[in-house]
Amino acid sequence: METLLAAIAGVAIALFGALPLVWALELGLRHDERATIAKGLLGVLVSFAISSVLLFAAYLLFADSFRACGIALAVTLVLVWSIESVRAYMLT
């Protein structure tokens, strides 16, 4: 049961951590005047900070099954960015 909870936590961390970058990418795809390099860099930094803090908390909670959390996080990030890259390719 703890492994399943750790995997769900990994998915949640990946989705929550990817939100700032997805937001910055969506601004760029819409050709919004608010899309800047600075906001993209800020999105990277905020995403890294959120993911790092949440991963540390997950490590403290799920020390025995932390590997499942990491695997779920990596798979979710690959899926999110695969979808976003296909969307970006189709819109350009």
Side-chain angles (χ1 to χ4, degrees), residues 54-91:
L54 291 177
L55 267 176
F56 183 68
Y59 176 72
L60 293 177
L61 289 173
F62 306 110
D64 292 336
S65 57
F66 185 67
R67 185 177 298 145
C69 180
I71 292 170
L73 180 127
V75 169
T76 304
L77 282 177
V78 167
L79 287 173
V80 166
W81 289 113
S82 296
I83 292 168
E84 286 297 319
S85 59
V86 167
R87 287 190 69 242
Y89 178 76
M90 297 301 281
L91 290 174

Side-chain angles (χ1 to χ4, degrees), residues 41-63:
L41 182 58
L42 183 64
V44 169
L45 294 174
V46 169
S47 177
F48 177 74
I50 289 171
S51 297
S52 296
V53 168
L54 291 177
L55 267 176
F56 183 68
Y59 176 72
L60 293 177
L61 289 173
F62 306 110

